[in-house]
């Protein structure tokens, strides 16, 4: 079985689950199955250690190694997942420079003994060439390094070129990354470098090369010779480098695997601008890579991008290794050199992955997750129980359940005359005593006095009475419940019987809150001088929507007070009728968004954006064509891509207001004029 390495900038560790096909299952195990990967490198996880969850760390059959930002929240972050059935690293580190320390240790990686460190750390001279402190460089969670017997894997998230304030940090990171890779290769180790490097090699790897050169006033030579691009191309085989190479970078040491399998392919982009919806038109750039040492060129059988998989502004990139590779001139099964010694022999497993194979940097050893099990293990392994305690508990439950009345006995007890509470308590006292004997308690409590017992026990013997506790009012379940008074507001007297239809009902006795509301409303409306408010249909009075706020009464008051309040319910003794249709129209006008204008070329509703560029128009909103940018990156007329429609929202609102006023004046004019 071939081994597959996949790298993906997910723009947030949970971001892919908002899209298909990840949305259906929303588990990392299912995601890795769809990716068909054995090693997965995620960049830009944007998560802190306190926000890690079981489903991220305790993935069944997988191990994980995290590099999280030390200070900034929701920023950067790299994680590498390895499939335990295929590969297991022998060493794991965080950061490029080796200045960081392993978990639960105060010794830096660079100061560890040679036999337990990966090596290749930048030298003092190489660190001096960088303007950034090593601790600061590795504090943003941008690199995880794993060593397998076959090669050293670096999962990297390089800083982006967003503004000039981060240029020094970006160049310092790339400079030390180049030094670490070259040092590892000089030690005789194979290296695989993967991740989001935020660099496009040349014009073929970006759609806006001409636009960028025109804006910055650069020539083709100047574009290729920008500091970050020049540094990157000096690392790669067939990299375009003009002039003499820099000192220490005289040789090419890495191979661009994906470009090696597709040397002339155009539009092989891995990142697109989301704000301009540039992905449908494939107006993007290739900045995600899987690179390998030149000695490993024959190890790979295929590589490609997966632009059809949604979930981020980037797409996954993968590379597949062959089943058998050449190591020191002899053919070796890949599984033998992707696992610790003795785990595989000629591609056949000799022993299973165990706890002793877990490295200190593994996510499974994070204190919050150490010793934890996933849900599948919790259900597959049943905990052992002590037989003696189980027997005692079962005997106690059997003895206690023997006194529980059946449903027929319970109904008979309800219909029998009620007894005193003290009698039921006295009868159940020996019952509780037997239960306590079967389940002894280490701390004995003082027996309760009779006067302190306010309620009988929940389970009673047959024939004993039971006092029904007062029911707690339920919370509001719907909008009508807001207009329905609570039953507990009438009084604490419990209803004993339903009121007779021939006798007048009294407030708080024998009727519900809603019945009282209906009766009082009838009285109020009968006293209203406006005969149009009277009605003989009880269904109208039962509808909560018919009761306005001005007709609300205090149902806790007496009937005499209710009659007084009914006179105050409507000001000046006159009822007020609200037109529901007009009210609905008024609210609709207030909250309804104005209709969007149609674009010129496609007659489709435009979409609105807000200007964020500094200047006099910063913060203003505007309408533009909803279609994505085309491959040219420019607005096109009479094509399937975005046209040049542009309207300020303030101008469109003024036009819409004039049209509404014009229609209103036309409809108000007399007919025939």
């Amino acid at each position: 079985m071939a081994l597959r390495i996949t790298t993906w900038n997910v723009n947030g560790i949970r971001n892919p689950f908002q899209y298909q096909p990840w949305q259906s299952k929303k588990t990392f195990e299912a995601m890795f199955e769809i990716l068909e990967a054995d090693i997965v490198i995620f960049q830009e996880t944007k998560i802190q250690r306190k926000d890690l969850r079981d489903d991220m760390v305790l993935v069944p059959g997988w191990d994980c190694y995290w590099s999280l930002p030390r200070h900034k929240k929701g920023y950067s972050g790299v994680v590498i997942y390895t499939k335990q059935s295929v590969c297991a690293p022998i060493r794991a580190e965080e950061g490029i420079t080796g200045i960081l320390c392993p978990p639960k240790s105060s010794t830096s990686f660079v100061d560890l003994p040679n036999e337990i460190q990966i090596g290749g750390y930048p030298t003092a001279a190489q660190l001096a060439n960088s303007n950034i402190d090593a601790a600061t460089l590795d504090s943003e969670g941008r690199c995880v390094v794993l060593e397998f017997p076959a090669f050293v894997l670096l999962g990297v998230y390089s800083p982006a070129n967003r503004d000039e304030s981060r240029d020094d940090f970006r160049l310092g990171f790339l400079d030390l990354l180049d030094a670490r890779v070259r040092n590892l290769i000089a030690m005789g180790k194979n290296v695989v470098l993967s991740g989001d490097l935020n660099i496009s090699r040349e014009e073929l790897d970006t759609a806006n090369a001409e636009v960028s050169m025109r804006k910055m006033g650069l020539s083709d030579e100047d574009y290729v010779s920008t500091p970050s691009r020049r540094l990157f191309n000096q690392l790669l085989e067939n990299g375009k480098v003009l002039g003499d190479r820099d000192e220490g970078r005289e040789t090419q040491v890495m191979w661009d695997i994906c470009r090696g399998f597709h040397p002339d392919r155009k539009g092989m982009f891995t990142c697109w601008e989301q704000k301009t919806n540039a992905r449908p038109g494939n107006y993007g750039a290739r900045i995600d890579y899987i690179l390998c040492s030149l000695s490993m060129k024959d190890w790979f059988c295929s590589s490609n991008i997966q632009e059809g998989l949604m979930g981020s502004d980037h797409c996954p990139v993968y590379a597949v290794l062959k089943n058998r590779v050449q190591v020191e001139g002899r053919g070796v099964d890949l599984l033998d050199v992707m696992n610790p010694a003795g785990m595989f022999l000629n591609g056949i497993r000799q022993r299973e992955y165990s706890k002793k194979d877990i490295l200190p940097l593994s996510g499974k050893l994070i204190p919050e997750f150490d010793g934890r099990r996933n849900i599948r293990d919790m259900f597959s392994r049943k905990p052992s129980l002590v037989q003696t305690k189980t027997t005692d508990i079962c005997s106690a439950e059997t003895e206690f359940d023997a006194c529980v009345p059946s449903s027929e006995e319970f109904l008979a007890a309800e219909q029998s005359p009620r007894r005193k509470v003290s009698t039921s308590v006295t009868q159940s006292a020996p019952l509780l005593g037997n239960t306590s004997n079967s389940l002894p308690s280490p701390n004995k409590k003082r027996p309760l006095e009779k006067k302190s017992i306010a309620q009988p026990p929940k389970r009673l013997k047959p024939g004993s009475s039971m006092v029904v506790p007062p029911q707690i009012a339920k919370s509001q379940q719907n909008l009508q419940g807001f207009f329905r008074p609570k039953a507990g507001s009438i009084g604490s007297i419990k209803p004993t019987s339903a009121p007779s239809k021939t006798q007048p009902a009294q407030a708080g006795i024998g009727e519900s809150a809603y019945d009282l509301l209906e009766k009082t409303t009838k009285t109020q409306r009968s006293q209203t001088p406006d005969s149009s408010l009277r009605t003989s249909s009880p269904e109208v009075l039962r509808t909560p929507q018919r009761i306005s706020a001005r007709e609300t009464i205090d149902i806790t008051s007496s009937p005499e007070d209710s009659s007084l309040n009914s006179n105050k319910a409507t000001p000046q003794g006159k009822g007020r009728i609200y037109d529901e249709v007009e009210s609905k129209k008024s609210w609709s006008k207030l909250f309804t968004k104005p209709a969007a204008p149609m674009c010129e070329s496609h007659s489709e509703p435009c979409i609105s954006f807000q200007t964020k560029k500094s200047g006099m128009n910063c913060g203003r909103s505007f309408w533009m064509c909803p279609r994505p940018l085309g491959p040219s990156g420019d607005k096109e007329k009479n094509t399937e891509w975005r046209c040049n429609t542009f309207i300020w929202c303030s101008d469109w609102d003024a036009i819409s207001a004039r049209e509404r006023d014009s229609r209103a004046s036309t409809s108000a004019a007399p007919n025939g004029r």
Side-chain angles (χ1 to χ4, degrees), residues 491-507:
S492 60
I493 304 176
K494 295 182 174 58
T496 56
S497 61
S500 175
K501 295 182 179 179
T502 58
Q503 297 178 358
Q506 297 180 359

Side-chain angles (χ1 to χ4, degrees), residues 8 31 68 116 129 196 229 391 409 445 449 501 515 541 575 664:
W8 191 12
M31 178 189 292
L68 303 174
I116 60 175
N129 294 331
D196 178 8
R229 190 168 290 110
T391 306
E409 294 172 342
K445 296 183 180 180
E449 298 180 3
K501 295 182 179 179
D515 295 332
L541 296 176

Side-chain angles (χ1 to χ4, degrees), residues 238-355:
N238 298 325
K240 187 180 292 187
V241 180
L242 301 179
D244 297 335
R245 289 178 171 268
D246 299 341
E247 182 180 356
R249 302 188 178 102
E250 292 83 5
T251 59
Q252 306 167 351
V253 295
M254 301 294 285
W255 182 54
D256 186 352
I257 303 175
C258 195
R259 180 57 73 187
F261 282 97
H262 311 276
D264 301 322
R265 179 178 170 184
K266 297 181 179 180
M268 192 170 61
F269 304 138
T270 63
C271 179
W272 302 268
E273 181 65 42
Q274 286 185 314
K275 295 180 180 179
T276 58
N277 194 19
R279 188 164 186 171
N282 196 25
Y283 187 76
R286 188 172 78 97
I287 58 177
D288 302 89
Y289 301 89
I290 300 180
L291 314 176
C292 72
S293 304
L294 297 181
S295 58
M296 297 177 61
K297 289 178 62 175
D298 296 333
W299 287 29
F300 292 87
C301 58
S302 65
S303 179
N304 208 337
I305 65 173
Q306 296 177 282
E307 67 275 18
L309 288 178
M310 309 298 291
S312 171
D313 55 341
H314 295 246
C315 75
V317 181
Y318 71 88
V320 182
L321 289 97
K322 299 177 182 179
N323 292 328
R324 293 186 63 84
V325 296
Q326 294 291 323
V327 178
E328 297 179 354
R330 61 186 182 91
V332 178
D333 195 288
L334 183 64
L335 295 179
D336 295 355
V337 292
M338 289 300 297
N339 293 273
M343 185 173 289
F344 279 87
L345 180 61
N346 297 327
I348 301 175
R349 181 176 288 276
Q350 304 298 311
R351 65 177 181 87
E352 294 296 329
Y353 185 88
S354 60
K355 289 185 177 179

Side-chain angles (χ1 to χ4, degrees), residues 580-602:
E580 296 182 359
V581 177
E582 292 295 333
S583 178
K584 185 176 181 180
K585 289 182 178 179
S586 300
W587 286 105
S588 299
K589 291 179 181 179
L590 183 62
F591 290 103
T592 302
K593 295 182 179 180
M598 299 295 178
C599 68
E600 299 175 359
S601 298
H602 313 105

Side-chain angles (χ1 to χ4, degrees), residues 30-84:
M31 178 189 292
F32 299 155
E33 290 179 0
I34 295 175
L35 290 173
E36 300 179 348
D38 303 299
I39 299 176
V40 180
I41 305 103
F42 285 155
Q43 302 92 44
E44 209 169 356
T45 56
K46 294 183 178 180
I47 195 171
Q48 291 181 295
R49 175 173 166 176
K50 66 181 183 64
D51 298 323
L52 293 175
R53 296 294 178 264
D54 289 5
D55 62 329
M56 305 177 189
V57 179
L58 304 178
V59 182
W62 292 76
D63 209 342
C64 56
Y65 305 88
W66 298 81
S67 179
L68 303 174
R70 298 291 194 274
H71 309 294
K72 295 184 179 181
K73 294 178 58 177
Y75 180 79
S76 187
V78 174
V79 60
I80 299 180
Y81 289 91
T82 58
K83 194 173 185 179
Q84 297 170 354

Side-chain angles (χ1 to χ4, degrees), residues 175-244:
D175 185 65
L176 293 181
L177 177 63
D178 177 87
R180 182 74 185 271
V181 170
R182 292 180 181 275
N183 292 347
L184 286 170
I185 295 175
M187 294 174 61
K189 296 186 177 183
N190 296 320
V191 177
V192 174
L193 174 61
S194 63
D196 178 8
L197 300 182
N198 270 309
I199 305 173
S200 55
R201 285 184 56 178
E202 51 191 52
E203 297 88 343
L204 185 63
D205 296 302
T206 179
N208 66 341
E210 296 182 1
V211 177
S212 300
M213 288 187 290
R214 186 170 57 252
K215 287 183 178 179
M216 294 184 293
L218 301 177
S219 62
D220 294 347
E221 293 77 11
D222 295 335
Y223 179 80
V224 176
S225 300
T226 54
S228 59
R229 190 168 290 110
R230 175 181 173 83
L231 189 153
F232 184 49
N233 280 323
Q234 291 184 90
L235 185 70
L236 298 176
E237 183 184 42
N238 298 325
K240 187 180 292 187
V241 180
L242 301 179
D244 297 335

Side-chain angles (χ1 to χ4, degrees), residues 389-402:
K389 294 184 178 181
T390 305
T391 306
D392 295 340
I393 294 174
C394 293
S395 61
E397 292 181 352
T398 305
E399 186 175 353
F400 192 84
D401 292 340

